[in-house]
Amino acid sequence: MREKQTCVPPSKTILLVSSMVMLILMSTQLNGQTGVERRTSFDEGWKFFLGDDTTASSPSFNDSKWRVLDLPHDWSIELPFDSTSPTGTGGGALRGGIGWYRKTFTLPASLKGKNFFIDFDGVYMNSEVWLNGRLLGNRPNGYISFRYDLTPLLKFGNEKNVIAVRVNNSQQPNSRWYSGSGIYRNVWLVTAGSVFVEHWGTYITTPQIDNHLAKVAILIRLNNTTTTDKSIVVKTTIFDADNKKIIAASSSLNAKSVEISEVSQQTEITTPHLWAIDDPYLYTAKTEIIDNGKTVDEYTTPFGIRYFRFDVDKGFFLNGKPLKIIGICDHHDLGCLGTAVNTRALQRQLQMLKGMGINGIRTSHNPPAPELLDLADKMGFVVMDEAFDMWKKEKNPYDYHLYWDNWYKIDLRDQVLRDRNHPSVFIWSIGNEIMEQWGGDHGEDTSGRQIARDLAKIIHGLDTTRPITSALNDPSPVNEIYRSGALDLVGFNYNQNEYKNFPKKFPGKKFIATETISSINTRGHYDMPSDSIRRWPANWDKPLENA
């Protein structure tokens, strides 16, 4: 290859040196591993093409003319606003389309024999992923996080690997809100040894808490990918917020060959520091997998210790104290920045909301970016973690209803597994203004009942510590979702006139206002489509014990 000498200005020299240092660090992480899992950012150095080419999945495809970029990336926000866009105003009048991403990378020969995975935090939408020309899989849902196993197809040493991702957001409209397009959340390369903690493989609960003691239960899922059984030790050490060791628990396990095993551990923390809105204190659990005295995997799980309840008459209590949830419905986009995840922008939003007195977030109307929940944990917000904006019945011609039957169980399971250790998450919402609310008065369509029960069963099979709700805009006892019996909290969107009738129409049931006020604004003009802004203060001024 012919070398080319250039004169680089001092400022660019700093950038080049920084880039070289980052590459060296990444190489060191990959080369220097001793079997302990490492998660490395895989965001840098992708190539992108807006358009479709059926041969782009091939490793030999020539992508030299494609644009070079780093992820996360939203291509729709880069396009001109277009009044004829099929996305409509709900989609920001910005077009979708089809886009391709490719990344070429190498791995040192010394890492051969380890397990490698690629984690996508979110791709909108209909993504297909290939490695070295072989299809790994597809994922229609644009909001869910997912993983692929790269191990069987990887090359090592001087041989190059090519990962290709096709994103299809061409069928419009498919969302009622601005979705963005592309690999708009972070991507990670995960390296693990032969025995490791599974993806989202820990579950930490605190079944008993008081001011003197907190019992901590830890469930760990392990994967032994070897051809022999392994006698291993699983050790979990808990650290406080200052990274000081508090206590540890160890278990011995005979991990069966090519199987996933579960380990349950229990320990206690004396005088626990509780997680609260104004004091969001976090602990960390570090789980080590030890084989013949050697740590072969390490997995950390932040968690908080708190307890809460919803009372039929008195409302919400956190750590035994009454608390009014002052919440907002937060869509995943970042306004004029688009949907590409930007942690500082998310943090700034939450800082402004905190300054306004907000303490609750509803993830309208899909699973959020992991960064949002991390920030909510650290900054002190309660979160209603919402799964779906529609079920089998459509709101738009090309929305998630097309994929419901094949994917809802997988997508909901992955959401709960990913998010269930976050202390900020207090409520699971199985849907927003779902069309299956209606239709059962005469027995002609009761599908809403069965679907709600199915969703609740999936959640309760993975997490029994949080209540389930659904944002209903039909505040009637004959609402099919309500009649399912699946809701621990009955949620109303708007319909403030019905609040006073709730105890009579829904005797003994717990209520939460899932959405109360909406506004449309532009350049100082505000339009309130609901009169709820005039109704809410009457309830707001009630003392907590009477709320």
Side-chain angles (χ1 to χ4, degrees), residues 176-177 362 364-365 386-391 395 429-435 437 470-473 493 514-515:
R176 298 193 301 137
W177 316 104
R362 174 182 174 216
S364 311
H365 299 289
E386 195 153 74
F388 304 111
D389 192 33
M390 73 291 297
W391 295 349
K395 292 182 178 179
S429 171
I430 56 176
N432 171 65
E433 300 182 355
I434 298 299
M435 302 302 290
Q437 292 174 87
S470 183
L472 309 177
N473 54 330
N493 278 11
T514 43
E515 193 169 324

Side-chain angles (χ1 to χ4, degrees), residues 433-471:
E433 300 182 355
I434 298 299
M435 302 302 290
E436 281 85 350
Q437 292 174 87
W438 297 276
D441 289 346
H442 305 289
E444 69 275 13
D445 183 3
T446 59
S447 61
R449 298 185 210 178
Q450 189 56 52
I451 293 175
R453 290 168 186 157
D454 288 346
L455 298 179
K457 183 178 180 181
I458 293 169
I459 293 174
H460 286 319
L462 299 169
D463 177 45
T464 58
T465 68
R466 298 170 175 92
I468 295 172
T469 192
S470 183

Side-chain angles (χ1 to χ4, degrees), residues 131-132 134-136 149-155 161:
L131 176 63
N132 297 330
R134 295 283 297 274
L135 180 66
L136 299 178
D149 186 355
L150 305 181
T151 312
L153 301 174
L154 281 174
K155 302 173 182 179
N161 297 282

Side-chain angles (χ1 to χ4, degrees), residues 76-382:
S76 289
I77 199 68
E78 300 173 346
L79 301 177
F81 292 101
D82 184 354
S83 62
T84 66
S85 171
T87 61
T89 54
L94 292 168
R95 291 183 176 270
I98 296 175
W100 279 87
Y101 298 84
R102 285 169 56 93
K103 181 181 174 78
T104 301
F105 63 101
T106 59
L107 294 170
S110 60
L111 294 181
K112 192 171 183 179
K114 296 188 182 297
N115 288 287
F116 288 85
F117 305 90
I118 187 168
D119 290 353
F120 291 89
D121 285 348
V123 183
Y124 201 91
M125 60 177 287
N126 281 315
S127 63
E128 298 170 280
V129 181
W130 288 264
L131 176 63
N132 297 330
R134 295 283 297 274
L135 180 66
L136 299 178
N138 71 294
R139 201 72 178 229
N141 192 324
Y143 298 98
I144 203 68
S145 301
F146 55 95
R147 163 179 284 190
Y148 292 120
D149 186 355
L150 305 181
T151 312
L153 301 174
L154 281 174
K155 302 173 182 179
F156 294 86
N158 295 326
E159 292 189 88
K160 294 181 179 179
N161 297 282
V162 178
I163 191 158
V165 182
R166 182 179 186 264
V167 184
N168 185 352
N169 192 22
S170 62
Q171 292 185 304
Q172 297 288 347
N174 59 50
S175 174
R176 298 193 301 137
W177 316 104
Y178 179 69
S179 65
S181 301
I183 309 178
Y184 71 104
R185 291 180 182 169
N186 289 301
V187 181
W188 308 90
L189 182 67
V190 177
T191 312
S194 56
V195 184
F196 56 90
V197 177
E198 267 286 279
H199 192 29
W200 306 316
T202 58
Y203 179 38
I204 299 178
T205 57
T206 48
Q208 182 178 330
I209 305 170
D210 58 38
N211 292 331
H212 306 290
L213 184 73
K215 292 188 176 181
V216 181
I218 308 160
L219 180 66
I220 304 159
R221 300 178 74 243
L222 306 176
N223 193 341
N224 176 10
T225 60
T226 69
T227 57
T228 59
D229 295 352
K230 290 278 188 178
S231 296
I232 61 173
V233 174
V234 181
K235 180 181 179 182
T236 300
T237 306
I238 295 178
F239 298 86
D240 66 14
D242 296 320
N243 203 32
K244 294 179 180 178
K245 177 181 174 180
I246 299 176
I247 198 166
S250 294
S251 307
S252 297
L253 172 71
N254 183 32
K256 297 296 184 180
S257 169
V258 199
E259 282 190 10
I260 294 176
S261 305
E262 289 191 348
V263 176
S264 295
Q265 297 178 330
Q266 290 80 35
T267 188
E268 297 178 349
I269 297 176
T270 56
T271 320
H273 194 147
L274 301 185
W275 186 96
I277 293 295
D278 56 355
D279 185 16
Y281 191 90
L282 295 175
Y283 292 87
T284 301
K286 182 177 75 173
T287 300
E288 299 173 80
I289 311 303
I290 303 169
D291 183 11
N292 290 323
K294 179 182 177 182
T295 298
V296 296
D297 191 39
E298 190 175 285
Y299 192 95
T300 59
T301 309
F303 70 100
I305 299 174
R306 80 287 187 273
Y307 60 98
F308 63 92
R309 66 184 176 92
F310 290 85
D311 185 270
V312 171
D313 299 312
K314 297 183 178 181
F316 178 67
F317 288 77
L318 175 60
N319 300 329
K321 299 177 182 178
L323 176 70
K324 281 189 176 181
I325 299 176
I326 311 168
I328 54 100
C329 297
D330 185 29
H331 290 261
H332 80 128
D333 66 277
L334 292 168
C336 61
L337 298 181
T339 60
V341 167
N342 183 312
T343 303
R344 174 58 191 131
L346 289 170
Q347 182 188 44
R348 180 176 177 272
Q349 282 187 342
L350 296 182
Q351 286 172 337
M352 289 190 293
L353 292 170
K354 198 82 169 181
M356 296 164 57
I358 300 297
N359 62 19
I361 298 169
R362 174 182 174 216
T363 66
S364 311
H365 299 289
N366 299 278
E371 289 81 0
L372 179 71
L373 296 183
D374 290 341
L375 288 168
D377 290 345
K378 296 172 184 176
M379 298 174 67
F381 288 86
V382 297

